[in-house]
Amino acid sequence: MSGKFITIEGSEGVGKSSNIAFIENYLRKLGKQVLLTREPGGTELGESIRALLLDAKNTAMCSDTELLLMFAARAQHLDEVIRPALAAGKWVICDRFTDATYAYQGGGRGIAEARIATLETWVQNTLQPDVTFLLDMPVAAGLERASKRSAPDRFEQEKLAFFERVRAAYLARAKKYSGRFRVINAEPALETVQAQIRKSLDELI
Ligand code: Z5A
């Protein structure tokens, strides 16, 4: 594989969408071939799974179903999109990946890390992102930003304590995998956030 695999993570309202657009433009200006994708989703099948996962009507979905659907979508995504793009030398920017599973299904829902790790190895083998940007800010402030958007999906209906656990799990992973993670303070104005990201991208390039 000659391309680079960049993932963007964070809890609610941290500004992933705004900053992904910045990363994409920055890399394109440098002449990189960029593929932008997201999880859950990124393929036709994966987007159908995403609709099931986010549908606020699916209140009966148990945590294991949620976990297995995340990895089912990921298996398809890796096979159809991510691995071929990396093999073709593209820079893949993925809006969330397996760290989100550890944060939401692990931290948020309380599924044991070892069970997630089993599925991670099954689906990814040894593939890991080259760099993971963790956009981090206090949960309440993020939820305040996110509240200005459309009707909440199944995850967005969770309470503050759930997102506190998600944030804590993300920060624990960033500490454990400090070589891969870049923790970005997402609270200041967008230009300040992007200056931090640009610095890390320059180092990667
Ligand atoms: N999920 C999971 O549970 N397990 C998994 O393995 C995976 C995912 C892969 C859908 O993800 C759900 O799937 C997600 C976790 C779960 N659920 N949640 N919650 P998603 O990534 O598609 O959904 P999202 O988290 O709601 O992300 P988003 O739509 O990309 O929003 P965002 O990160 O919060 O970013 P934003 O829309 O760019 O920013 C929010 C607002 O803040 C917006 O009005 C911006 O203009 C504003 N903003 C952004 N930056 C700033 C700054 N710096 N200052 C002021 N205002 C700002």
Side-chain angles (χ1 to χ4, degrees):
M1 288 180 181
S2 47
K4 295 267 184 228
F5 186 20
I6 300 174
T7 58
I8 324 296
E9 301 281 358
S11 184
E12 274 297 288
V14 292
K16 282 187 301 97
S17 309
S18 323
N19 289 297
I20 282 169
F22 168 78
I23 296 170
E24 182 187 14
N25 286 339
Y26 192 70
L27 292 176
R28 282 196 198 283
K29 274 190 202 143
L30 291 172
K32 306 288 180 202
Q33 270 192 290
V34 178
L35 181 111
L36 189 57
T37 187
R38 70 171 180 181
E39 290 213 348
T43 64
E44 200 178 334
L45 206 56
E47 290 295 326
S48 301
I49 295 174
R50 179 187 176 91
L52 285 174
L53 280 162
L54 298 194
D55 191 340
K57 289 200 295 293
N58 286 335
T59 51
M61 188 181 295
C62 73
S63 300
D64 276 351
T65 302
E66 186 177 289
L67 174 69
L68 291 165
L69 285 175
M70 289 295 174
F71 273 104
R74 185 162 299 136
Q76 191 67 29
H77 196 201
L78 282 162
D79 184 71
E80 210 181 304
V81 175
I82 297 177
R83 288 190 193 279
L86 290 173
K90 293 185 182 161
W91 286 55
V92 176
I93 307 172
C94 193
D95 184 347
R96 297 194 188 280
F97 192 62
T98 304
D99 294 303
T101 313
Y102 282 99
Y104 283 81
Q105 283 64 55
R109 303 279 189 228
I111 296 178
E113 202 178 310
R115 299 182 78 188
I116 301 174
T118 302
L119 293 170
E120 179 183 28
T121 305
W122 181 355
V123 167
Q124 285 165 232
N125 198 350
T126 57
L127 179 70
Q128 290 293 334
D130 292 290
V131 164
T132 298
F133 288 107
L134 173 58
L135 301 179
D136 180 66
M137 65 188 284
V139 171
L143 289 175
E144 172 61 28
R145 278 187 193 167
S147 67
K148 291 171 189 135
R149 295 184 310 201
S150 53
D153 63 35
R154 204 172 57 84
F155 289 97
E156 290 164 351
Q157 290 183 340
E158 291 294 339
K159 303 273 180 292
L160 183 77
F162 176 89
F163 293 107
E164 292 285 7
R165 292 196 300 277
V166 168
R167 183 186 183 203
Y170 267 133
L171 289 171
R173 284 189 69 73
K175 202 170 170 194
K176 188 169 175 185
Y177 301 103
S178 56
R180 166 167 71 86
F181 269 86
R182 304 288 178 272
V183 181
I184 304 292
N185 177 5
E187 214 174 1
L190 210 48
E191 309 80 67
T192 310
V193 176
Q194 289 170 353
Q196 298 172 69
I197 295 175
R198 189 185 307 119
K199 189 166 174 284
S200 291
L201 284 176
D202 288 342
E203 282 163 15
L204 182 68
I205 293 156

